[in-house]
Amino acid sequence: MSTHATRPRLPRTTALTPGRGGQPRLLIDAPAGSAEIYLHGAHLTAWTPRGGKPVIFTSRRAVFDGAAPIRGGVPLCLPWFGAGVSGDRRPSHGWGRISPWQLRSVQSRSGGVQALFTLERDGIAALYSVDVGEELSLSLSLRRTGATGAEEPVEAALHTYLAVGDVTAVEVTGLEGTTYLDKVTGQAGQVQHGALHIVGQTDRVYASGAPVTLTDPAYGRSVRVAGVRAANTVVWNPWSAGAAALTDLDDDEFASMLCVESAVVGDSAVRLAPGESLSLGTRIAVAPL
Ligand SMILES: O=P(O)(O)OC[C@H]1O[C@@H](O)[C@H](O)[C@@H](O)[C@@H]1O
């Protein structure tokens, strides 16, 4: 594996081994929880708190070829989201999720494990910390490198795919009264009235990163997603029609997932001059109903 030369010391609760498609991935099996993180995209594809059920959804049709983005898990959208604020950026959601990241350090931490990843590309230095335990804590920072140059808009999202028992039965609270852009209809300035229920294709950028709770009666649990310095929460489900158009998502899988993404995107994009940084995180915790 290309990572061999820079492989850091690994605690005994972790291993760096080839995963699906022979792609290098860090396996974590610590007392407080287990996880799997591919170096392609620094992409977390699984997290299970000890004694619990898997919390993160990854598609059974996900492609692991070291080139395509992985469908599911936590894709890192950076340094732009979708087509960016200008609307013409490619690839969609930026290059973070399709780049090979460096694994810098892996440390045992209060029953869990913290892994640090870095990536430097196109004038951006990215640092990503994954804390695996009874909770999952993800922190991303992006710094403009170089000494001179104009400000540029930077966006980022922790595009978390949550595993749910039945998406039509989940209730999402914490967004009441918040305005959102509805990307399905193209309408901005919508207001969330009451709890959110998923009854069709859903693609919304909320103007809030406050904690959101997903109540999932089919799995008998609630999942709390708390943004850290996140101006936005994106909620996405492609529904059946959208899933049919995605070759890396089985037709029935839209019912087993809901993306709840802590983000800094769109109108909240941060204009960074060289030397300036943007930081963003998410904390995910599970509780029985
Ligand atoms: O298929 P992709 O590139 O992974 O994107 C999935 C979705 O990601 C969401 O976060 C976006 O709001 C959607 O518009 C998009 O369709």
Side-chain angles (χ1 to χ4, degrees), residues 71 81 92-93 97 159 183 203 234 236 261:
R71 176 69 60 196
F81 183 75
S92 179
H93 287 332
R97 63 178 179 166
H159 194 312
K183 291 174 69 179
D203 192 358
V234 181
W236 179 66
E261 316 165 27

Side-chain angles (χ1 to χ4, degrees), residues 55 171 213-217 219-224 285-289:
V55 180
E171 179 171 88
T213 300
L214 181 157
T215 303
D216 183 350
Y219 276 176
R221 70 184 181 192
S222 67
V223 181
R224 185 174 186 268
V286 184
L289 290 182

Side-chain angles (χ1 to χ4, degrees), residues 80-221:
W80 61 87
F81 183 75
V85 291
S86 59
D88 62 357
R89 305 301 298 269
R90 299 287 182 277
S92 179
H93 287 332
W95 38 254
R97 63 178 179 166
I98 52 168
S99 295
W101 290 61
Q102 291 282 330
L103 178 60
R104 290 294 175 189
S105 70
V106 185
Q107 288 176 327
S108 294
R109 272 201 167 187
S110 43
V113 166
Q114 182 196 44
L116 282 179
F117 300 85
T118 59
L119 171 66
E120 190 162 344
R121 182 169 164 174
D122 297 354
I124 300 273
L127 174 66
Y128 182 44
S129 163
V130 179
D131 264 283
V132 172
E134 286 176 20
E135 292 190 10
L136 179 69
S137 178
L138 308 174
S139 306
L140 178 67
S141 88
L142 305 179
R143 180 175 53 82
R144 285 275 310 276
T145 58
T148 57
E151 289 183 345
E152 284 178 14
V154 173
E155 299 175 287
L158 298 153
H159 194 312
T160 307
Y161 285 71
L162 298 172
V164 298
D166 173 3
V167 79
T168 65
V170 306
E171 179 171 88
V172 180
T173 53
L175 295 166
E176 300 87 328
T178 304
T179 58
Y180 64 91
L181 164 66
D182 188 332
K183 291 174 69 179
V184 175
T185 62
Q187 290 176 299
Q190 302 298 294
V191 178
Q192 179 65 42
H193 298 292
L196 170 63
H197 297 97
I198 309 300
V199 294
Q201 188 187 357
T202 304
D203 192 358
R204 298 180 177 186
V205 180
Y206 286 89
S208 167
V212 164
T213 300
L214 181 157
T215 303
D216 183 350
Y219 276 176
R221 70 184 181 192

Side-chain angles (χ1 to χ4, degrees), residues 20 23 38-45 57-78 80 82 90-101 121 157 159 161 236 246-249 253:
R20 291 169 67 180
Q23 293 297 310
Y38 281 81
L39 300 198
H40 175 64
H43 198 127
L44 180 132
T45 52
F57 166 90
T58 293
S59 168
R60 60 180 91 97
R61 295 179 68 107
V63 175
F64 290 82
D65 64 359
I70 297 168
R71 176 69 60 196
V74 186
L76 298 179
C77 305
L78 64 94
W80 61 87
R90 299 287 182 277
S92 179
H93 287 332
W95 38 254
R97 63 178 179 166
I98 52 168
S99 295
W101 290 61
R121 182 169 164 174
H159 194 312
Y161 285 71
W236 179 66
L246 297 171
T247 54
D248 55 359
L249 191 69
E253 286 187 302

